[in-house]
Amino acid sequence: ENGLDYEACLVAQCDALVDALTRQKAKLLTKVTKEREHKLKVVWDQINHCTLKLRQSTGLMEYCLEVIKENDPSGFLQISDALIKRVQVSQEQWVKGALEPKVSAEFDLTLDSEPLLQSIHQLDFIQMKFPVTVPPVPLLQLEKCCTRNNSVTLAWRMPPLSHNPVEGYILELDDGDGGQFREVYVGKETLCTIDGLHFNSTYNARVKAFNSSGVGPYSKTVILQTSDVAWFTFDPSSAHRDIVLSNDNQTATCNSYDDRVVLGTAAFSKGVHYWELHVDRYDNHPDPAFGIARINVVKDMMLGKDDKAWAMYVDNNRSWFMHCNSHTNRTEGGVSKGATVGVLLDLNKHSLTFYINGQQQGPPAFENVEGVFMPALSLNRNVQVSLLQLS
């Protein structure tokens, strides 16, 4: 009974292949018919064109015969030159290929059926069957796992001779403080980079595979240590198009008289971080702004005018703190060429403080700042600023 059922299944599979081939044959025949109709149309268009030209030439010849019969020599001489030119033009139009075939009688269609024939001849039964179960344990490729600043990159692969299909992977990471694991990636790739982690933290990572039968077991856990200190530059990929970076992306200026924003390449979520910026050029008393911002900050206006940035903007005499376009704490003391602006982001106390030439500028600028922040700067073409140091 099982044999009969299998025979019926085999017949159905082969019939499906034959039906597919029959449908494809009909499609190919339709293409041949369309090609033939196209060629015939071109030929008929040429025939009609030649017929029209022949009628015009016949009329010209009949007119020429009538002119030759003209008994008035002076009248003949008056029109003979123009008539000769008309005849020459008519002759040239025929010579320019009016009678040459516009299409070939051959069909420029080639059907290569050899690969399909080979596949049909190789059609056979698969003798070995494996029951589909959950995927095995993925193998973490430790030589490809690494950290950079506060981002980690993990790579893995399936073990050799694994017959169970894999539809995707689930990568999990703990909170960097020995807490619970959370999903950070689900997909088919075997390489993943996670950004925006805590500095000076130890993370545990693990991965598992899944298919239609379920989720497989976890891999071994790999331990990754993020950097103690943040090292960053200005980020060309997210900067406003008017921003000009140089000096290995450590110096920024601008092509526009309007203020434009550029971010740093690091993201901070906890810890204490301090960086300084050197004012290389300061012309016509502009108002550069220094501070922190979310990744989605508006980049075509001064830093701090939207709710995604916290900044201090400063001229040559005084400074103001700004967030949500609210200006507070006007403080005497500005910047000039050669000045140094320091930014202290203390995420343990959730505060932001600014310094000019090593001296604190006003009170702590902002408190209760929480989340993930990136170093930020806005400036126009009258200012050039370089990243001096960070810690």
Side-chain angles (χ1 to χ4, degrees):
E1 289 176 356
N2 186 268
L4 292 175
D5 291 341
Y6 198 85
E7 286 179 5
C9 180
L10 176 63
V11 170
Q13 287 180 295
C14 292
D15 288 346
L17 293 175
V18 173
D19 289 342
L21 188 59
T22 301
R23 290 191 298 270
Q24 192 63 25
K25 179 180 71 173
K27 291 181 180 179
L28 295 174
L29 289 173
T30 300
K31 291 184 178 180
V32 174
T33 301
K34 289 182 177 180
E35 180 69 13
R36 182 174 64 249
E37 291 173 349
H38 170 70
K39 287 179 176 288
L40 289 174
K41 182 179 182 303
V42 173
V43 172
W44 279 113
D45 288 344
Q46 189 176 6
I47 290 173
N48 293 333
H49 176 71
C50 291
T51 301
L52 177 62
K53 296 297 295 183
L54 184 59
R55 289 173 182 169
Q56 293 174 348
S57 300
T58 302
L60 179 60
M61 291 170 64
E62 292 174 349
Y63 175 70
C64 291
L65 289 174
E66 293 297 325
V67 171
I68 291 173
K69 295 177 183 179
E70 176 62 49
N71 294 325
D72 182 6
S74 61
F76 178 78
L77 290 174
Q78 288 178 357
I79 66 171
S80 59
D81 287 341
L83 192 59
I84 289 172
K85 290 181 180 179
R86 283 186 61 187
V87 173
Q88 288 176 342
V89 170
S90 178
Q91 182 180 2
E92 289 175 358
Q93 290 178 345
W94 280 102
V95 171
K96 285 182 179 178
L99 296 177
E100 295 180 1
K102 300 297 184 182
V103 292
S104 171
E106 303 295 331
F107 278 68
D108 298 328
L109 300 174
T110 303
L111 179 64
D112 184 10
S113 60
E114 187 60 29
L116 180 58
L117 287 173
Q118 292 181 1
S119 298
I120 292 175
H121 293 152
Q122 295 173 359
L123 193 63
D124 203 348
F125 298 104
I126 299 176
Q127 297 298 327
M128 197 182 326
K129 287 187 176 181
F130 296 93
V132 178
T133 59
V134 298
V137 178
L139 302 177
L140 284 164
Q141 296 182 276
L142 300 181
E143 69 279 4
K144 295 182 179 180
C145 297
C146 61
T147 62
R148 182 179 181 275
N149 266 344
N150 61 334
S151 68
V152 299
T153 298
L154 296 116
W156 59 89
R157 62 179 177 85
M158 295 305 294
L161 304 178
S162 173
H163 300 288
N164 291 328
V166 175
E167 297 180 7
Y169 302 92
I170 300 173
L171 176 63
E172 295 183 354
L173 206 67
D174 69 1
D175 61 358
D177 197 24
Q180 294 184 345
F181 282 88
R182 58 187 174 90
E183 290 185 5
V184 293
Y185 172 76
V186 178
K188 295 182 178 181
E189 300 297 329
T190 58
L191 182 72
C192 181
T193 298
I194 303 99
D195 299 313
L197 302 177
H198 301 314
F199 283 92
N200 193 25
S201 299
T202 301
Y203 285 89
N204 296 285
R206 62 189 184 185
V207 64
K208 57 185 177 181
F210 63 88
N211 59 20
S212 58
S213 296
V215 180
Y218 284 108
S219 67
K220 291 183 178 180
T221 300
V222 62
I223 301 174
L224 296 167
Q225 174 74 37
T226 56
S227 300
D228 295 342
V229 176
W231 298 100
F232 65 87
T233 62
F234 294 120
D235 184 10
S237 64
S238 64
H240 190 279
R241 62 180 178 273
D242 291 338
I243 292 292
V244 179
L245 300 180
S246 58
N247 187 27
D248 293 329
N249 297 328
Q250 296 190 62
T251 299
T253 185
C254 182
N255 282 329
S256 173
Y257 284 109
D258 296 320
D259 292 302
R260 304 300 190 219
V261 172
V262 58
L263 301 177
T265 54
F268 305 120
S269 55
K270 78 172 186 178
V272 180
H273 307 279
Y274 177 78
W275 61 95
E276 291 184 342
L277 301 112
H278 184 265
V279 180
D280 303 328
R281 179 168 53 82
Y282 188 85
D283 303 327
N284 301 322
H285 311 301
D287 299 322
F290 308 84
I292 58 175
R294 310 285 193 195
I295 185 67
N296 57 342
V297 63
V298 178
K299 298 185 176 67
D300 60 357
M301 60 186 182
M302 181 182 288
L303 193 70
K305 285 197 171 184
D306 67 353
D307 62 347
K308 303 295 191 302
W310 294 254
M312 175 187 72
Y313 74 95
V314 57
D315 60 16
N316 60 324
N317 291 318
R318 62 194 70 83
S319 67
W320 295 262
F321 302 144
M322 184 164 62
H323 172 63
C324 291
N325 204 23
S326 174
H327 310 249
T328 60
N329 292 97
R330 170 177 165 169
T331 304
E332 297 301 319
V335 296
S336 59
K337 179 180 177 181
T340 299
V341 176
V343 182
L344 175 61
L345 176 62
D346 188 341
L347 290 173
N348 295 335
K349 298 180 179 178
H350 307 287
S351 65
L352 180 65
T353 307
F354 294 98
Y355 298 83
I356 296 180
N357 296 326
Q359 300 296 318
Q360 182 171 327
Q361 185 73 359
F366 301 100
E367 296 178 331
N368 300 319
V369 289
E370 294 187 5
V372 179
F373 304 97
M374 308 182 79
L377 165 71
S378 71
L379 72 173
N380 64 17
R381 66 184 307 165
N382 291 316
V383 190
Q384 178 176 300
V385 173
S386 292
L387 189 62
L388 193 61
Q389 66 181 37
L390 43 123
S391 61

